[in-house]
Amino acid sequence: MAFSRRCYKGIGRKFDMIRLEDVNPDNWRLSLRVRDDQKAFVANSTVMLARAFAYRNSRSRAVVIYNDEAPIGMALYYDFEDAYNFSQFFIDERYQGKGFGYQAAEMILQEMEKDGVYDRVVLCYVEGDEAAKRLYLKLGFTHTGEEEEGEVVMERRLR
């Protein structure tokens, strides 16, 4: 399976290697989880994989996020109408607060841009998930003013 590699130099810490690897028979059974107070905001890995299967005809791509060889999170995106839907994203509780979320999300957005089918990305976050809101604003997403099933909708132009 294809994966991307990109190096980042963290401030005050050693060189980190963040990479994405498509979910495959060897990596889908990971025990990644978010903190208890975040569970209302994020689907677990089983739900994420079920959603990837449900959207398989929409070019869904589920990835495991690695720092070197350590799996640290998962993400899912797929085609949705005239945009990429950045549907699911989480970093395991043991790796939060280290900048991995921003780095991984940036890489995923670059993958979408490289794919080149759409020029925008949409996503939703649950109201009250301030960490997700801050991350998406930092990545250049803006609020659309819409809500979808009680979630706040944001979008970002790729070009």
Side-chain angles (χ1 to χ4, degrees):
M1 298 260 160
F3 63 87
S4 299
R5 291 182 186 255
R6 182 163 177 190
C7 297
Y8 293 87
K9 187 169 187 175
I11 298 171
R13 65 176 187 258
K14 69 178 186 178
F15 209 75
D16 296 319
M17 173 64 86
I18 301 296
R19 65 183 173 92
L20 307 175
E21 185 173 302
D22 290 313
V23 170
N24 62 57
D26 296 324
N27 69 8
W28 73 274
R29 290 184 186 210
L30 299 171
S31 60
L32 299 170
R33 61 190 169 282
V34 295
R35 295 187 324 254
D36 286 342
D37 64 315
Q38 297 170 321
K39 289 182 179 177
F41 302 133
V42 180
N44 64 38
S45 59
T46 303
V47 172
M48 185 182 300
L49 294 174
R51 185 170 286 160
F53 181 78
Y55 285 93
R56 68 190 177 280
N57 293 330
S58 297
R59 296 186 329 129
S60 66
R61 183 172 182 208
V63 297
V64 176
I65 303 159
Y66 288 87
N67 179 37
D68 288 324
E69 296 305 312
I72 63 169
M74 293 182 78
L76 168 67
Y77 66 91
Y78 52 84
D79 296 352
F80 182 74
E81 297 174 2
D82 62 344
Y84 297 101
N85 185 336
F86 196 172
S87 173
Q88 304 291 311
F89 179 73
F90 75 88
I91 299 297
D92 184 274
E93 65 183 338
R94 297 167 291 177
Y95 300 96
Q96 293 179 12
K98 301 177 190 305
F100 294 132
Y102 180 83
Q103 294 171 7
E106 196 174 60
M107 285 184 71
I108 292 163
L109 293 167
Q110 289 171 0
E111 289 290 308
M112 293 175 195
E113 193 166 0
K114 237 182 352 187
D115 182 56
V117 174
Y118 304 107
D119 64 355
R120 70 187 187 105
V121 180
V122 296
L123 59 77
C124 299
Y125 71 91
V126 177
E127 186 68 50
D129 188 351
E130 292 302 312
K133 179 181 175 180
R134 282 191 308 275
L135 173 64
Y136 298 140
L137 288 170
K138 185 176 177 183
L139 287 162
F141 283 86
T142 58
H143 290 96
T144 65
E146 301 172 46
E147 285 196 19
E148 179 81 22
E149 298 178 18
E151 296 185 4
V152 179
V153 179
M154 298 182 87
E155 75 173 9
R156 176 186 154 170
R157 293 278 171 198
L158 293 174
R159 13 183 195 298

